[in-house]
Amino acid sequence: MSLFKARDWWSTILGDKEEFDQGCLCLANVDNSGNGQDKIIVGSFMGYLRIFSPHPAKTGDGAQAEDLLLEVDLRDPVLQVEVGKFVSGTEMLHLAVLHSRKLCVYSVSGTLGNVEHGNQCQMKLMYEHNLQRTACNMTYGSFGGVKGRDLICIQSMDGMLMVFEQESYAFGRFLPGFLLPGPLAYSSRTDSFLTVSSCQQVESYKYQVLAFATDADKRQETEQQKLGSGKRLVVDWTLNIGEQALDICIVSFNQSASSVFVLGERNFFCLKDNGQIRFMKKLDWSPSCFLPYCSVSEGTINTLIGNHNNMLHIYQDVTLKWATQLPHIPVAVRVGCLHDLKGVIVTLSDDGHLQCSYLGTDPSLFQAPNVQSRELNYDELDVEMKELQKIIKDVNKSQGVWPMTEREDDLNVSVVVSPNFDSVSQATDVEVGTDLVPSVTVKVTLQNRVILQKAKLSVYVQPPLELTCDQFTFEFMTPDLTRTVSFSVYLKRSYTPSELEGNAVVSYSRPTDRNPDGIPRVIQCKFRLPLKLICLPGQPSKTASHKITIDTNKSPVSLLSLFPGFASQSDDDQVNVMGFHFLGGARITVLASKTSQRYRIQSEQFEDLWLITNELILRLQEYFEKQGVKDFACSFSGSIPLQEYFELIDHHFELRINGEKLEELLSERAVQFRAIQRRLLARFKDKTPAPLQHLDTLLDGTYKQVIALADAVEENQGNLFQSFTRLKSATHLVILLIALWQKLSADQVAILEAAFLPLQEDTQELGWEETVDAAISHLLKTCLSKSSKEQALNLNSQLNIPKDTSQLKKHITLLCDRLSKGGRLCLSTDAAAPQTMVMPGGCTTIPESDLEERSVEQDSTELFTNHRHLTAETPRPEVSPLQGVSE
Amino acid sequence: MSSEMEPLLLAWSYFRRRKFQLCADLCTQMLEKSPYDQEPDPELPVHQAAWILKARALTEMVYIDEIDVDQEGIAEMMLDENAIAQVPRPGTSLKLPGTNQTGGPSQAVRPITQAGRPITGFLRPSTQSGRPGTMEQAIRTPRTAYTARPITSSSGRFVRLGTASMLTSPDGPFINLSRLNLTKYSQKPKLAKALFEYIFHHENDVKTIHLEDVVLHLGIYPFLLRNKNHIEKNALDLAALSTEHSQYKDWWWKVQIGKCYYRLGMYREAEKQFKSALKQQEMVDTFLYLAKVYVSLDQPVTALNLFKQGLDKFPGEVTLLCGIARIYEEMNNMSSAAEYYKEVLKQDNTHVEAIACIGSNHFYSDQPEIALRFYRRLLQMGIYNGQLFNNLGLCCFYAQQYDMTLTSFERALSLAENEEEAADVWYNLGHVAVGIGDTNLAHQCFRLALVNNNNHAEAYNNLAVLEMRKGHVEQARALLQTASSLAPHMYEPHFNFATISDKIGDLQRSYVAAQKSEAAFPDHVDTQHLIKQLRQHFAML
């Protein structure tokens, strides 16, 4: 990420799958040729040694065969190559090659080749040292101030410094406190070795101290004499830099100052001779190699730092002067004079990319990939645009109602409820009491016509009914597959569900040509569970507190034929009485009048009547349909039992209020708990610990209270849930009775149901009472309103939990009243009026005149919120966000 | 080749070339050869070396600079009793973003985050933190995309940022911390540092609190231990004393102890450690850590002074300059922030954060052409993401280079990484549509913004304005209510609601909404007008 990239002067790829590291690159006039030009010497972990002398015909050329002066296989991994005056008696440059167990010094001589084949080199082994220990890296220099020759110091993997005076081995010393090797460098000014130890500090050892210290081989024996001997290896100075170092380098470009440069893993240091920090720079990327190369202006030093983001940065002290892109991650970088070109940057990557480059203002050609687009055809574009605009317009007009195109289903869903119970009941964890809970198997079959993705079946039944499994996933990879799943349904708790209907919903995506991800679609299928799943035959009782009577227009039917499974006695005289016994314990009795066309249902609990009443009516309809009678009808006369209904509402509401109180208490206690915690934390943090003053007891007590309150809230929630189920049953019954009473059509019943049974969950914040109240008031205001004046009534737009239920009760009574006076439930007449959009209750029609005035309001554009300027980049701390270039 | 090379040497080379997985695998092989239980055999230095190399490799894989990690969880916010003053003087606190003394763009021009700060040009972890007053407020903070949402737990973030949990080896953790004899290791300085970093960075995902204790112990152990040794050995061994003493003077351990204290929320203790470390050896990192402590303690002025002190020692250090600029930005002092960002660029002109921040600053101070140049620079440098193209598109639009606007947005859409980003792009496209007067397109754009991000309060607001112009007052009101409940810190929905209510004669609601708008943006002239007008109405009644 930079404006510019390094200009390629010459590059090549070395070998095949060879590995290189920091020490493997060296630039020197190794064959001592007269023109003083540098050669590139590269060794690899594979054991190959290569010498290049690039002279490209033109910039950016690849390597020619004649550029390679020498390639030999040394059969041992090459760890480091250095060039220096390593042979005694001559000041010629020789090549030192470090293998893991061997140090070899070669003399390299060049021979002029014939016309077309270029020059070549020969290599002659001058001497070699076999090493006792595995070597790691080496440094060289005129140790001890000798003139005209270079000595070599090798660091082994286990921390021994071995010094070779050319052909002979001088001595070896163990570094104290050694664990892993660090970089090694020799400073000729102070005549000392510098390294970064495992203790993360820069350490400097004087050569003289090393030379006179106790010999390393005797280390074990002299353990106890160490303290007194005076010959112990003492460090000259140390500097704690707090990190491991990658490389260390000592430079002195003018006589006055020499600096120690240390490249850490996260910082870059420049130290004085005595180990004080001259400056440091925090790097926000991971560096890979560096090279302080020259001093352009007085007192500053330029440094090349390569990093793992393929960048090469050039710093003048701490100021970034240039940044350039490289095609690889450099593990070693050198600067040299090649082919009469001064200052060529030579970089080597760990997989063998060797590149000679120079800085230039070649822009890094970052090409933003094209946005995938279709060929522009303006005619087609217009047509499609028109079509889409039309669709959008239609959607907007129909107020969000999606145009339902009837078409063949891609998927067939069918549900079969088995007629018999499971032979072994699948019910687990039942809280019903003593009765044995049966379960019934439901089988869902899916059949697809086309390929569908991500088909998911979820099944829902009214609690307290429970399923053994309610989620299934399918994959329809080929057309016309049939999949079947089965699961069992049983009653879990000891109250009755509000409905026996279950719902199986399949959601899937249907891929199309334009949309390979698929268009999400949903299919649902309802099924009805048998009554006997929750109900047993029971003893009929003559007396009961709640009774309702259903009139029909046909002669009575024997209850035995209506409820064949529930005949408890075979006595013929009992056919007009039948008892039911719910698994939870409630008893219901159905009486059929012998003479009139009436049925009576009675029970101790109002809400329990619903299921049986509904079942009775359904079965009657079914029975007459079988008989071929078309005009069968039920009716209900007499007043709607609102009083009983209101009691249930009150009970539910009371529980809600109770829950709210409990939650308030809980939040109070939680605040108290946190306050005590904070106090305690402060106490514990204190340097001089103060007595706790029973704060711990208080904390404990509060904790117990919180737990108890949470339990109470949970219990209340359970009760509330049960109460809501009862309320739903009762609501169903009331709706049924109203429908029978006023002979409402199916549409009207649907409206009533929508008003009374909102789909959303009953929660503390938004509960049944206010939702239903809002819906009923809307009905009262619109289709059931008496005068237009009422229509203008404004309601508060926010739904809050009401103070009491009197308002709701009043509205329900009023609704029944209006219905009895001939009101009709119909929403189509006021479709022109604006509907509520986001929040119910917030809609009133506004006279048109107002609007025009507002639309010409002059400052309305100012009301827009400002455009959102996106933040430029999400930083991830582990990746440095910094790249670029300077000039 | 590898067979010939000494495995430890190869592993060490891998480590240096940052091939950590290879390095760790190789170390594992070496350690397997000689079965050892938990701790390396002191008799075999090779194994010790392999063991520590593996620990370091595992650490580096998940290493995050602790300075950059700066997100506070709810628990840290709520149980922090380090607050200095509840009502600080203006300009001395980050909690109350002072009013704009320095003449930067007002809120009407530059949007603000929920914490009341102008939106910054560069998303950093800390730019999102706003401290809610109570737990309830913290939990109920509207979850609007990324405006100052507190994160629920601090342990979550460590897992997210460093994916250490995914790297744990199948046969249990590499180092079983509960079985580690910390006292023993604290006496081995060569092992202790690497081990500490391993525990701090690699292991913090499991049970943060528990492990932080361990870390703290490990950190403090050498510290306490040396203290103890210091006294005991005083009588015994004079020679040992000097080494112990020099060990005790290790600034690095102090910084680490400070880091642990900071993570534990004990800022005062951390401050002490960092200060003591600075006295011994001045390092850039220590300055940064100490400044971070001061920012957490809500003492931005002290932090600024500290940064400047650091700059005296390390002139031109980019991270210090950048730190100053960030603090100025958070204190709402835009001009100073921009100045320091420019200073950053003088030192390092590839600094993305500085370029982005200066760019957005120019943009909001009505110089889109200059902002465009900054963003183009970022693009040339190879940053290629949706946000950048979005900003480029906006700049082009406001600099009247319409030809580039739509293509930029098109690219931004194709590059959007998540739905929130796409929502913002659509939102801005809606703005462009409003700008060219195509309300139909604007309507559709805002709708699309909402499809992508259902909590986009600004889009709700603008949709409401469009609805209002069409004359659908009820829809407009509903949308405005949604917008204001999603983002109570924005003044626009409140003001719009007040205007609508005023027009249809609902003065009471208008007044309430206008007051909310005034609370969100006290200097808004139109709101003041409206309130004045309403007061007159009420007085007349």
Side-chain angles (χ1 to χ4, degrees):
Chain A
M1 293 219 280
S2 152
L3 280 182
F4 304 125
K5 62 178 181 185
R7 300 194 66 160
D8 187 13
W9 183 67
W10 177 88
S11 69
T12 182
I13 296 172
L14 307 178
D16 184 28
K17 285 183 187 159
E18 291 187 44
E19 272 187 273
F20 301 86
D21 202 353
Q22 198 174 313
C24 298
L25 177 69
C26 182
L27 243 71
N29 182 17
V30 68
D31 57 352
N32 301 299
S33 64
N35 55 8
Q37 274 181 18
D38 289 339
K39 314 284 177 301
I40 305 170
I41 304 136
V42 186
S44 82
F45 283 0
M46 288 289 275
Y48 286 98
L49 186 82
R50 298 180 178 88
I51 297 176
F52 291 97
S53 168
H55 41 278
K58 64 176 203 284
T59 298
D61 261 358
Q64 303 292 318
E66 60 259 34
D67 291 340
L68 182 64
L69 300 182
L70 177 74
E71 176 165 353
V72 280
D73 184 3
L74 298 176
R75 304 197 179 279
D76 262 333
V78 177
L79 302 183
Q80 197 169 344
V81 286
E82 294 292 353
V83 172
K85 303 160 196 160
F86 299 129
V87 177
S88 55
T90 168
E91 293 211 359
M92 300 285 267
L93 293 177
H94 285 82
L95 174 69
V97 179
L98 182 69
H99 302 286
S100 50
R101 289 271 176 179
K102 203 162 61 173
L103 170 73
C104 305
V105 173
Y106 300 95
S107 91
V108 180
S109 57
T111 47
L112 282 177
N114 292 330
V115 190
E116 277 177 18
H117 303 292
N119 300 341
Q120 54 171 319
C121 275
Q122 275 95 36
M123 210 164 79
K124 205 173 91 193
L125 182 68
M126 302 304 286
Y127 60 90
E128 64 177 12
H129 292 290
N130 284 316
L131 306 176
Q132 300 296 314
R133 299 171 183 279
T134 314
C136 169
N137 51 16
M138 67 175 173
T139 186
Y140 69 94
S142 47
F143 306 158
V146 289
K147 290 273 174 349
R149 51 187 187 141
D150 285 327
L151 280 62
I152 294 176
C153 176
I154 299 175
Q155 181 180 219
S156 75
M157 280 308 284
D158 51 359
M160 192 194 210
L161 291 184
M162 292 168 277
V163 176
F164 293 91
E165 287 181 359
Q166 299 188 335
E167 284 85 355
S168 60
Y169 169 72
F171 59 87
R173 297 288 179 270
F174 275 104
L175 291 173
F178 183 89
L179 189 63
L180 278 169
L184 183 70
Y186 171 73
S187 161
S188 56
R189 248 179 91 84
T190 55
D191 190 24
S192 52
F193 294 99
L194 285 122
T195 185
V196 178
S197 73
S198 295
C199 302
Q200 307 186 345
Q201 46 196 6
V202 184
E203 296 176 355
S204 159
Y205 297 96
K206 287 260 184 214
Y207 176 68
Q208 297 215 308
V209 177
L210 274 181
F212 290 116
T214 322
D215 201 348
D217 301 336
K218 298 175 195 157
R219 187 173 65 149
Q220 266 72 28
E221 299 99 82
T222 57
E223 198 77 61
Q224 60 272 66
Q225 303 166 11
K226 241 184 179 175
L227 296 174
S229 72
K231 283 183 170 180
R232 195 165 57 103
L233 185 49
V234 199
V235 69
D236 186 25
W237 52 260
T238 62
L239 173 77
N240 193 342
I241 56 166
E243 63 194 296
Q244 298 291 335
L246 285 172
D247 204 353
I248 196 164
C249 201
I250 295 147
V251 290
S252 51
F253 290 114
N254 42 18
Q255 290 308 307
S256 57
S258 102
S259 305
V260 179
F261 286 86
V262 181
L263 182 69
E265 281 165 339
R266 325 191 203 295
N267 289 296
F268 164 59
F269 300 89
C270 172
L271 315 177
K272 293 178 193 163
D273 275 341
N274 58 358
Q276 283 173 332
I277 294 181
R278 178 169 285 155
F279 61 80
M280 69 180 278
K281 159 121 197 107
K282 190 173 159 65
L283 307 173
D284 40 15
W285 23 258
S286 306
S288 60
C289 60
F290 87 136
L291 179 77
Y293 65 94
C294 74
S295 167
V296 174
S297 64
E298 186 65 32
T300 60
I301 290 169
N302 284 19
T303 313
L304 282 166
I305 305 183
N307 71 15
H308 282 268
N309 302 346
N310 292 353
M311 299 284 295
L312 196 66
H313 292 255
I314 294 154
Y315 286 95
Q316 185 171 52
D317 282 2
V318 292
T319 308
L320 182 70
K321 283 295 174 191
W322 198 268
T324 185
Q325 279 181 356
L326 289 177
H328 52 249
I329 297 170
V331 293
V333 59
R334 292 286 179 272
V335 172
C337 164
L338 294 168
H339 193 58
D340 292 332
L341 191 66
K342 279 184 188 163
V344 179
I345 300 168
V346 183
T347 51
L348 175 71
S349 81
D350 78 330
D351 52 354
H353 278 81
L354 181 67
Q355 180 172 335
C356 300
S357 49
Y358 57 99
L359 300 176
T361 49
D362 243 8
S364 71
L365 284 178
F366 168 71
Q367 201 100 47
N370 273 330
V371 181
Q372 189 222 343
S373 58
R374 280 182 283 172
E375 193 72 28
L376 285 185
N377 180 338
Y378 286 99
D379 295 338
E380 279 176 26
L381 209 71
D382 274 350
V383 171
E384 193 182 339
M385 187 72 189
K386 248 177 214 157
E387 189 188 322
L388 291 174
Q389 291 282 19
K390 191 167 166 286
I391 293 172
I392 293 172
K393 218 176 186 177
D394 287 351
V395 170
N396 283 341
K397 236 180 222 165
S398 54
Q399 297 247 343
V401 181
W402 199 259
M404 291 299 283
T405 43
E406 282 300 326
R407 55 177 184 170
E408 256 185 280
D409 276 335
D410 317 311
L411 189 69
N412 271 322
V413 183
S414 56
V415 182
V416 179
V417 181
S418 93
N420 300 315
F421 288 141
D422 299 337
S423 54
V424 177
S425 172
Q426 300 292 316
T428 47
D429 298 333
V430 182
E431 302 158 19
V432 172
T434 52
D435 300 316
L436 183 73
V437 181
S439 70
V440 69
T441 302
V442 179
K443 206 184 265 183
V444 182
T445 310
L446 294 96
Q447 189 177 19
N448 65 321
R449 283 196 322 107
V450 290
I451 293 174
L452 303 174
Q453 295 165 344
K454 290 178 271 185
K456 258 188 198 143
L457 165 69
S458 33
V459 191
Y460 179 72
V461 288
Q462 293 285 334
L465 288 172
E466 189 83 14
L467 296 164
T468 45
C469 182
D470 58 355
Q471 296 273 358
F472 304 90
T473 314
F474 308 94
E475 205 62 53
F476 292 103
M477 295 317 287
T478 51
D480 290 318
L481 279 180
T482 308
R483 296 288 171 82
T484 307
V485 288
S486 54
F487 48 88
S488 296
V489 191
Y490 59 93
L491 186 73
K492 186 146 177 164
R493 281 172 228 290
S494 64
Y495 49 96
T496 47
S498 60
E499 265 177 289
L500 282 175
E501 243 177 29
N503 207 346
V505 180
V506 188
S507 66
Y508 58 91
S509 344
R510 186 178 189 277
T512 57
D513 310 335
R514 274 199 201 161
N515 190 352
D517 286 345
I519 303 164
R521 291 180 66 86
V522 168
I523 286 185
Q524 69 172 3
C525 178
K526 291 195 170 174
F527 56 93
R528 208 175 155 71
L529 296 163
L531 180 65
K532 55 187 176 176
L533 185 67
I534 55 158
C535 188
L536 299 169
Q539 199 64 41
S541 67
K542 292 279 175 202
T543 55
S545 45
H546 301 282
K547 305 171 184 177
I548 49 171
T549 312
I550 306 288
D551 296 319
T552 62
N553 55 359
K554 289 281 173 294
S555 54
V557 184
S558 155
L559 286 178
L560 264 183
S561 51
L562 279 181
F563 294 99
F566 289 92
S568 52
Q569 298 102 338
S570 52
D571 321 1
D572 276 352
D573 58 323
Q574 289 294 327
V575 288
N576 57 349
V577 180
M578 187 162 276
F580 295 94
H581 168 67
F582 280 126
L583 280 177
R587 287 171 190 283
I588 298 100
T589 309
V590 179
L591 296 157
S593 162
K594 273 178 197 157
T595 50
S596 61
Q597 307 159 339
R598 288 181 175 177
Y599 302 87
R600 166 168 289 176
I601 305 108
Q602 53 189 30
S603 153
E604 289 298 326
Q605 299 280 335
F606 176 65
E607 67 273 11
D608 290 337
L609 293 172
W610 151 248
L611 274 182
I612 299 297
T613 312
N614 189 35
E615 198 71 24
L616 177 70
I617 291 171
L618 284 177
R619 289 192 189 213
L620 277 173
Q621 277 166 349
E622 205 176 307
Y623 176 83
F624 282 109
E625 216 164 88
K626 249 182 224 165
Q627 303 276 313
V629 182
K630 287 273 166 61
D631 56 347
F632 170 77
C634 299
S635 62
F636 177 72
S637 62
S639 60
I640 304 291
L642 285 178
Q643 207 45 52
E644 291 89 338
Y645 183 50
F646 289 161
E647 274 170 26
L648 281 166
I649 295 180
D650 280 339
H651 182 237
H652 177 252
F653 187 67
E654 200 178 296
L655 284 171
R656 270 187 73 190
I657 296 288
N658 198 13
E660 198 173 24
K661 271 187 203 148
L662 283 172
E663 276 179 19
E664 247 166 53
L665 267 179
L666 185 63
S667 88
E668 260 174 41
R669 287 289 172 277
V671 168
Q672 180 179 330
F673 187 72
R674 282 196 300 275
I676 299 169
Q677 261 188 326
R678 202 176 302 186
R679 257 309 135 75
L680 266 178
L681 193 67
R683 285 277 155 94
F684 284 134
K685 270 187 185 177
D686 219 345
K687 275 280 173 302
T688 51
L692 293 180
Q693 288 175 331
H694 299 297
L695 271 177
D696 50 341
T697 325
L698 206 55
L699 186 78
D700 201 39
T702 316
Y703 177 71
K704 276 182 188 142
Q705 279 179 344
V706 167
I707 295 296
L709 276 172
D711 284 345
V713 168
E714 218 161 75
E715 194 193 331
N716 189 67
Q717 257 168 7
N719 288 340
L720 190 67
F721 197 67
Q722 187 172 345
S723 158
F724 186 58
T725 312
R726 288 184 201 282
L727 182 61
K728 265 207 287 199
S729 298
T731 312
H732 275 298
L733 184 59
V734 168
I735 294 171
L736 177 74
L737 292 181
I738 291 178
L740 292 179
W741 174 46
Q742 289 296 324
K743 308 220 164 32
L744 298 181
S745 67
D747 289 347
Q748 286 175 309
V749 174
I751 291 173
L752 263 190
E753 277 184 354
F756 273 96
L757 296 164
L759 286 173
Q760 80 241 34
E761 295 270 316
D762 180 52
T763 58
Q764 200 68 256
E765 284 81 32
L766 184 64
W768 184 83
E769 281 85 1
E770 53 266 31
T771 324
V772 171
D773 194 21
I776 290 178
S777 348
H778 178 74
L779 288 179
L780 287 176
K781 254 185 1 174
T782 52
C783 53
L784 294 179
S785 64
K786 273 184 184 158
S787 60
S788 57
K789 195 182 159 200
E790 237 174 9
Q791 285 191 337
L793 255 178
N794 203 353
L795 282 162
N796 59 338
S797 54
Q798 201 110 27
L799 290 187
N800 288 321
I801 181 164
K803 283 193 195 70
D804 53 30
T805 54
S806 59
Q807 185 88 4
L808 173 65
K809 287 178 194 164
K810 211 175 85 191
H811 283 142
I812 295 178
T813 321
L814 198 61
L815 178 86
C816 291
D817 193 39
R818 294 265 170 88
L819 281 174
S820 72
K821 283 179 185 152
R824 279 182 52 79
L825 290 167
C826 180
L827 289 177
S828 56
T829 51
D830 57 350
Q835 295 289 303
T836 67
M837 269 197 49
V838 175
M839 290 171 207
C843 66
T844 36
T845 47
I846 303 295
E848 289 289 318
S849 57
D850 259 77
L851 303 174
E852 273 128 47
E853 188 188 307
R854 207 167 307 107
S855 56
V856 293
E857 192 181 23
Q858 50 155 355
D859 61 348
S860 59
T861 43
E862 201 197 74
L863 301 173
F864 285 109
T865 52
N866 225 300
H867 37 82
R868 179 183 286 208
H869 209 58
L870 278 183
T871 43
E873 175 161 303
T874 319
R876 281 170 304 156
E878 58 268 54
V879 181
S880 59
L882 258 199
Q883 273 86 32
V885 115
S886 71
E887 24 212 75
Chain B
M1 167 206 66
S2 307
S3 58
E4 285 178 41
M5 275 191 71
E6 194 77 14
L8 183 62
L9 180 61
L10 192 60
W12 179 73
S13 170
Y14 278 141
F15 180 80
R16 205 168 45 184
R17 286 180 272 149
R18 297 184 77 77
K19 303 198 162 174
F20 299 121
Q21 192 56 56
L22 288 171
C23 171
D25 291 348
L26 205 58
C27 290
T28 316
Q29 277 176 25
M30 286 166 62
L31 292 172
E32 267 168 7
K33 268 184 213 157
S34 74
Y36 76 108
D37 182 26
Q38 176 57 216
E39 295 151 24
D41 190 344
E43 298 305 312
L44 285 167
V46 175
H47 288 132
Q48 217 173 32
W51 188 74
I52 211 70
L53 197 59
K54 180 173 175 189
R56 271 170 61 186
L58 292 178
T59 311
E60 281 295 323
M61 276 189 227
V62 296
Y63 177 83
I64 302 162
D65 199 341
E66 189 66 8
I67 291 164
D68 289 334
V69 180
D70 195 22
Q71 275 196 343
E72 289 184 304
I74 288 182
E76 279 109 42
M77 285 181 196
M78 296 324 300
L79 289 178
D80 169 30
E81 88 299 12
N82 289 306
I84 309 297
Q86 291 302 315
V87 191
R89 280 182 294 150
T92 61
S93 169
L94 294 171
K95 277 187 189 161
L96 290 176
T99 44
N100 217 322
Q101 316 100 329
T102 50
S106 84
Q107 197 178 345
V109 179
R110 187 167 188 162
I112 55 165
T113 66
Q114 197 193 2
R117 304 211 165 84
I119 280 180
T120 170
F122 190 81
L123 193 63
R124 302 176 279 267
S126 60
T127 46
Q128 302 181 336
S129 72
R131 284 177 171 240
T134 64
M135 185 72 143
E136 283 68 28
Q137 201 184 328
I139 293 169
R140 286 203 189 129
T141 300
R143 303 292 205 231
T144 53
Y146 24 56
T147 53
R149 175 195 306 189
I151 36 177
T152 41
S153 156
S154 55
S155 52
R157 89 186 159 203
F158 292 124
V159 176
R160 220 178 46 236
L161 290 178
T163 48
S165 58
M166 292 160 77
L167 298 168
T168 41
S169 51
D171 18 292
F174 169 49
I175 300 175
N176 194 342
L177 290 180
S178 53
R179 287 164 58 195
L180 215 57
N181 184 355
L182 297 178
T183 329
K184 201 179 102 192
Y185 283 100
S186 66
Q187 284 157 333
K188 295 182 182 166
K190 52 188 176 179
L191 290 178
K193 284 183 180 177
L195 192 60
F196 174 86
E197 287 196 325
Y198 174 80
I199 295 170
F200 194 81
H201 290 290
H202 187 266
E203 287 292 328
N204 63 19
D205 61 326
V206 194
K207 289 176 222 141
T208 319
I209 300 305
H210 170 72
L211 280 170
E212 271 171 4
D213 278 346
V214 174
V215 170
L216 187 66
H217 281 146
L218 182 67
I220 287 172
Y221 256 134
F223 185 67
L224 293 180
L225 207 83
R226 279 163 198 154
N227 248 338
K228 221 173 120 207
N229 286 351
H230 183 80
I231 299 160
E232 281 179 4
K233 291 196 175 178
N234 205 351
L236 292 173
D237 196 343
L238 205 68
L241 179 79
S242 57
T243 48
E244 292 295 336
H245 194 67
S246 73
Q247 292 283 323
Y248 170 68
K249 290 251 175 196
D250 193 336
W251 63 268
W252 192 83
W253 279 114
K254 290 183 184 174
V255 171
Q256 305 313 311
I257 295 169
K259 270 157 80 176
C260 298
Y261 275 133
Y262 183 85
R263 268 207 194 169
L264 290 173
M266 298 159 81
Y267 300 131
R268 285 297 177 196
E269 288 77 3
E271 181 197 355
K272 249 177 242 163
Q273 297 295 337
F274 288 138
K275 271 190 166 168
S276 151
L278 266 188
K279 234 176 252 169
Q280 250 164 38
Q281 176 75 55
E282 285 180 315
M283 297 291 269
V284 174
D285 270 1
T286 321
F287 278 114
L288 293 172
Y289 283 126
L290 188 54
K292 197 173 144 188
V293 170
Y294 283 130
V295 170
S296 301
L297 283 172
D298 195 21
Q299 294 184 312
V301 180
T302 323
L304 283 177
N305 288 338
L306 184 80
F307 275 134
K308 284 172 186 165
Q309 193 188 325
L311 278 179
D312 289 341
K313 174 77 187 162
F314 301 108
E317 173 60 40
V318 170
T319 44
L320 296 176
L321 287 170
C322 198
I324 296 180
R326 284 179 194 177
I327 290 181
Y328 273 131
E329 194 175 58
E330 289 206 19
M331 283 170 72
N332 231 344
N333 192 345
M334 284 303 156
S335 51
S336 301
E339 218 165 87
Y340 273 95
Y341 275 127
K342 279 175 191 160
E343 202 62 38
V344 169
L345 283 192
K346 272 180 204 157
Q347 289 300 325
D348 176 358
N349 47 19
T350 61
H351 202 271
V352 174
E353 177 178 349
I355 297 177
C357 283
I358 294 176
S360 67
N361 204 23
H362 278 301
F363 180 78
Y364 284 119
S365 34
D366 228 3
Q367 297 168 308
E369 296 88 352
I370 302 175
L372 187 59
R373 292 177 59 175
F374 279 96
Y375 286 123
R376 245 180 23 212
R377 170 94 178 193
L378 285 179
L379 185 66
Q380 283 165 344
M381 277 166 60
I383 293 170
Y384 183 64
N385 59 19
Q387 288 99 327
L388 183 62
F389 276 106
N390 174 60
N391 292 354
L392 275 172
L394 274 182
C395 287
C396 287
F397 181 68
Y398 284 93
Q400 305 191 3
Q401 304 186 359
Y402 300 121
D403 49 342
M404 284 304 292
T405 309
L406 287 181
T407 39
S408 292
F409 279 125
E410 201 180 351
R411 269 186 200 281
L413 271 183
S414 72
L415 285 171
E417 274 166 13
N418 50 30
E419 294 194 329
E420 276 86 8
E421 262 180 53
D424 279 339
V425 179
W426 279 118
Y427 170 77
N428 287 332
L429 270 171
H431 258 288
V432 172
V434 169
I436 57 175
D438 189 346
T439 47
N440 262 337
L441 181 62
H443 199 270
Q444 284 161 18
C445 287
F446 290 135
R447 292 265 296 254
L448 277 168
L450 288 182
V451 166
N452 280 302
N453 176 7
N454 206 14
N455 289 327
H456 205 289
E458 289 90 345
Y460 274 116
N461 176 66
N462 292 1
L463 211 49
V465 177
L466 290 175
E467 288 291 345
M468 205 169 73
R469 290 176 66 103
K470 278 188 192 164
H472 303 155
V473 176
E474 274 316 311
Q475 293 182 5
R477 277 175 52 168
L479 289 168
L480 285 175
Q481 276 183 342
T482 319
S484 55
S485 71
L486 281 173
H489 62 279
M490 284 182 357
Y491 75 97
E492 291 96 342
H494 296 307
F495 176 71
N496 288 349
F497 194 78
T499 344
I500 299 193
S501 301
D502 184 42
K503 291 283 169 182
I504 57 172
D506 193 344
L507 298 184
Q508 181 58 38
R509 251 183 237 169
S510 170
Y511 186 64
V512 172
Q515 273 181 327
K516 280 185 193 161
S517 163
E518 196 188 17
F521 183 19
D523 298 338
H524 193 229
V525 181
D526 289 332
T527 310
Q528 286 164 351
H529 264 294
L530 187 65
I531 289 180
K532 205 169 131 200
Q533 206 181 328
L534 285 169
R535 286 221 175 100
Q536 277 173 354
H537 265 296
F538 289 138
M540 266 159 59
L541 291 173

